Amino acid sequence: MKIKDIAACIEKIAPLNYAEDFDNVGLLVGDFNTEVTGILVTLDTLETVVDEAIENNCNLIVSFHPILFSGLKKLNGKNYVERSVIKAIKNNISIYAMHTALDNSIEGVNAKICEMLGLKNKKILIPQKNTLKKLTTYAPIAAAEKVRQALFNAGAGNVGNYDNCSFNTEGFGTFRGNENSNPFVGEKGILHTENETLIGVVFEKHKEKNVVSALFKSHPYEEVAYEIVSLENANQEIGLGMIGELKEEKSEIDFLIFLKNTMHTKGIRHSELLGKPIKKVAVLGGSGSFAIEKALEAGADIYVTADLKYHDFYKAENKLVIADIGHYESEQFTKNLLVDILTKKFPNFAIILSQKNTNPIYYL
């Protein structure tokens, strides 16, 4: 098995197209064609983690956070980033990271937090825009079903809980081929009118290559007429944060104690308690101050996130409780999620959960 096979598995859950613009995701160190001896899954790639990979004969580290984030101008070991990369290269260890691509996945970081907290009726808190596209094409009526099915098989036509979604209408198309043409119907040099079906399907932008390929393979015409447009519709399957409901409401204190124990945090910073029961919970792993207003708009009773500053807590506006559980604590179970994903796909392969605690923050 090669690194490209592992990457393909991860990217089905967390397509790199949906990582935030500021991020650095994918294969950061190594070659996609390298044969994999074992995989070590971690939250961060530090020198100690590289040592752990060496000890376990793993030549691929799958890391949530990218060790290479800002550009490197030198590689001389002056800081922990350079030392980790140098050690990995010296020992022929590749490093792959997905970070915000997994943050934006409906099966990713925030889904794992919801699972840990036992939330139901989950949905994306901030659906991502400009991730959907629409394909419109025209096929002879007799070939329309074949073309439609090929598009569905390539991943087009999935809308929420529905698949095989399309819009179709019948009309007629006209064309005339020149002397170099080889028309499927009609004759070269003669204007032809053909009864056709207009087929419209929506797809996620990372599927465009496969969708277009399926169109060309299934369509009978020598020249396939089609158009693709980007949609501004928010994608309810991709985005940051999640919101869900507890099976049974809890008092604020009871929920905070439950949150502390479940997320294994040594302390929670929170805004003023309001004396209201907690039922609707919004979560966002990692730095989440930017989503406080979205949690308010969604009607959350509490917003669980990390890395909040002093003034961020004022944004609760006495309408919800804001709880900062710590960056590492909010994302720590992500590596368990990745191990589960990879183990299901490659059950007989060496996939190891890192035992290193990479949290740089300690509590007195």
Side-chain angles (χ1 to χ4, degrees), residues 2 18 64 80 118 209 214 220 224 272:
K2 296 182 178 181
Y18 305 125
F64 175 64
Y80 78 96
K209 182 179 178 181
V224 181
E272 182 180 2

Side-chain angles (χ1 to χ4, degrees), residues 171-233:
F172 65 89
T174 63
F175 51 84
R176 180 172 59 197
N178 62 26
E179 61 182 11
N180 296 317
S181 66
N182 182 27
F184 173 73
V185 290
E187 299 179 27
K188 63 177 66 177
I190 298 176
L191 180 65
H192 179 79
T193 300
E194 179 71 19
N195 292 325
E196 295 180 333
T197 301
L198 178 152
I199 304 170
V201 290
V202 173
F203 61 90
E204 293 165 326
K205 67 180 183 180
H206 72 278
K207 299 176 180 176
E208 182 171 346
K209 182 179 178 181
N210 289 342
V211 169
V212 173
S213 176
L215 172 64
F216 276 79
K217 288 179 181 178
S218 63
H219 203 292
Y221 284 174
E222 182 180 25
E223 299 290 350
V224 181
Y226 73 100
E227 58 188 64
I228 293 176
V229 295
S230 296
L231 305 179
E232 291 198 12
N233 305 48

